């Protein structure tokens, strides 16, 4: 009988992060569980699976809380806004078990992430590999709630909105995993949001700095602090489509800079279109929200004059029908 296949190097765990879009439908949990089972079998490695709340859940919880308490108790807010991830961890662990993979559903104290500051947007200080290594010694898969840490007093804190990427990157760094895989509903990092600009190109490789600039100007691709942490700790990001068969994705590392267009909603019905060239300062235009897709496509054509004609933009993304699982 042959032992586990080694992909390369020592048996560092795989670190796979699935954003809320992976769980837009309940079947998403089954698809992710089967994929994780396949990767575990193929690589023979332990797997850390970082999950976000089903898309729309955290926003819905936030709206509900603000309706009741416009200036909410910080610890209560952190507790509520991290609860969507608890649901994802529990559901995914249950389905993993059904497909025959033994997994540990982790709570904040079992992750090894230490943070300080306001409970709703605490700053990550340190990632300790000990608790996860212990979980992985007991069962081959650990399911981790993204965006959650503990502070010095042992309280559960939130690392800010959209911070599951940061959790995944920090854990990869701590465990010595060279590549952190981030799965989403796009082919990778593109030269613009492909939902708004269908002619956007998927970048094969790109520099941390380009993704940091995109994120800084409002692109919801990879959390800025996740890019910073990845660069500081030498972790490559592999931004991949789900299903993974849809393309090779983008590797973010010490690659070349790339030009891009960023679309970001401002207050008062306005949208900011930002053009980022390989060098030079960002160029901004404020446009009415209704014109945003047209203007973004125009800005993208200026950057890439040989682009194909754009197809009509995709319909806006809906929240998961199950995002009201905690509060309807
Ligand atoms: N340049 C870009 N390339 C790829 N995706 C982008 C870009 N700019 C914005 N996005 C948006 O980022 C989204 C992915 O982030 P997010 O909504 O947080 O997904 P997930 O729930 O999978 O983490 C895409 O669905 C897309 O709309
Ligand atoms: N609870 C987080 C979840 C998160 O990070 O989402 P995603 O990975 O889908 O961007 C939020 O919406 O703030």
């Amino acid at each position: 009988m042959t032992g586990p296949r080694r992909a390369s190097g020592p048996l560092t765990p795989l670190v796979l992060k699935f954003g809320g879009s992976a769980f837009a439908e309940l079947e998403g949990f089954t698809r992710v569980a089967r994929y994780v089972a396949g990767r575990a079998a193929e690589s023979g490695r332990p797997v850390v699976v970082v999950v976000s709340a089903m898309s729309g859940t955290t926003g819905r919880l936030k709206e509900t809380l603000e309706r009741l308490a416009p200036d909410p108790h910080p610890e209560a807010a952190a507790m509520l806004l991290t609860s969507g991830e608890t649901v994802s961890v529990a559901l995914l662990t249950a389905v993993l078990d059904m497909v025959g993979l033994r997994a540990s559903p982790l709570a904040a104290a079992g992750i090894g992430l230490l943070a300080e500051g306001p409970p709703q947007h605490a700053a990550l200080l340190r990632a300790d590999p000990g608790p996860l290594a212990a979980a992985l010694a007991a069962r081959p898969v650990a399911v981790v709630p993204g965006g959650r840490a503990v502070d010095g007093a042992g309280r559960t804190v939130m690392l800010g909105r959209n911070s599951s990427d940061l959790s995944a990157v920090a854990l990869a760094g701590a465990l010595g995993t060279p590549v952190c895989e981030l799965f989403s509903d796009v082919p990778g990092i593109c030269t613009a949001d492909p939902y708004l600009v269908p002619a956007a190109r998927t970048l094969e490789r790109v520099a941390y700095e380009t993704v940091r600039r995109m994120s800084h100007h409002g692109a919801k691709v990879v959390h800025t602090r996740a890019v910073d942490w990845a660069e500081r700790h030498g972790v490559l990001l592999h931004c991949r489509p789900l299903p993974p068969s849809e393309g090779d994705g983008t590797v973010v590392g010490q690659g070349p800079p790339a030009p891009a267009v960023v679309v970001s909603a401002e207050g008062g019905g306005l949208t900011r279109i930002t053009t980022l060239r390989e060098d030079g300062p960002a160029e901004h235009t404020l446009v009415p929200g209704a014109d945003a897709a047209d203007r973004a496509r125009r800005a993208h054509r200026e950057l890439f004059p040989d682009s194909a004609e754009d197809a009509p933009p995709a319909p806006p993304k809906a929240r998961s029908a199950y995002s009201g699982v905690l509060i309807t």
Side-chain angles (χ1 to χ4, degrees):
M1 213 165 102
T2 54
R5 244 183 61 202
R6 290 172 193 236
S8 65
L11 280 181
T12 51
L14 300 175
V15 178
L16 315 177
K17 179 251 169 177
F18 298 89
S21 62
F23 311 116
E25 305 129 29
L26 279 194
E27 295 70 38
F29 289 98
T30 309
R31 284 194 290 266
V32 168
R34 290 210 181 105
Y35 177 69
V36 169
R39 290 289 302 273
E42 174 202 74
S43 66
R45 290 168 187 252
V47 188
V48 175
V49 187
V50 178
V51 296
S52 300
M54 292 182 269
S55 54
T57 304
T58 310
R60 196 161 186 161
L61 290 169
K62 189 164 183 281
E63 285 159 23
T64 306
L65 178 65
E66 284 170 356
R67 227 180 292 141
L68 287 171
D71 185 17
H73 182 293
E75 283 172 51
M79 182 184 276
L80 185 73
L81 300 186
T82 55
S83 58
E85 276 73 14
T86 304
V87 174
S88 294
V89 167
L91 291 177
L92 184 63
T93 305
V95 182
L96 282 166
D97 192 60
M98 277 213 359
V99 301
L101 208 56
R102 292 185 315 122
S104 302
L106 298 187
I111 306 173
L113 297 181
L114 183 74
E116 70 172 3
Q120 273 183 78
H121 23 84
L124 183 61
L125 290 178
R126 223 179 42 238
D128 168 11
L132 261 181
L136 293 172
R139 295 185 196 156
V141 180
V143 187
V144 173
R148 196 183 297 184
V150 290
D151 68 9
R155 290 175 304 194
T156 298
V157 294
M158 185 180 182
L159 299 170
R161 293 298 308 273
N162 306 115
S163 52
S164 297
D165 293 338
L166 175 60
S167 301
V169 169
L171 294 177
L175 293 164
T177 300
V179 182
C180 175
E181 302 178 43
L182 307 173
F183 292 86
S184 191
D185 58 352
V186 280
I189 307 280
C190 307
T191 49
D193 183 339
Y195 281 94
L196 294 170
V197 182
R201 299 162 182 200
T202 305
L203 301 162
E204 199 176 313
R205 251 198 109 82
V206 70
Y208 292 116
E209 179 57 18
T210 299
V211 181
R212 182 167 26 244
R213 284 180 89 202
M214 290 162 93
S215 176
H216 172 77
H217 290 290
K220 205 170 164 275
V221 262
V222 180
H223 196 289
T224 320
R225 283 183 289 144
V227 180
D228 291 343
W229 195 285
E231 184 165 22
R232 199 153 9 105
H233 295 267
V235 176
L236 294 175
L237 303 176
H238 188 182
C239 299
R240 307 186 59 183
L242 200 64
S245 55
E246 280 188 359
D248 294 337
T250 304
V251 175
V252 185
Q254 302 295 351
V261 171
V262 176
V263 180
S264 167
E266 297 285 299
L270 292 174
T271 296
R272 191 177 45 175
I273 312 283
T274 302
T275 296
L276 301 172
R277 300 180 191 280
E278 270 121 324
D279 45 28
E283 297 158 25
H284 306 285
T285 319
L286 266 185
V287 303
D291 299 344
D294 270 354
R295 296 295 294 267
R297 278 178 266 154
R298 198 190 305 168
H300 191 264
R301 265 197 306 276
E302 278 165 21
L303 276 184
F304 299 96
D306 57 335
S307 286
E309 261 312 296
D310 262 309
K317 284 177 273 183
R319 56 169 48 151
S320 163
Y322 294 87
S323 63
V325 69
L326 292 164
I327 293 177
T328 52

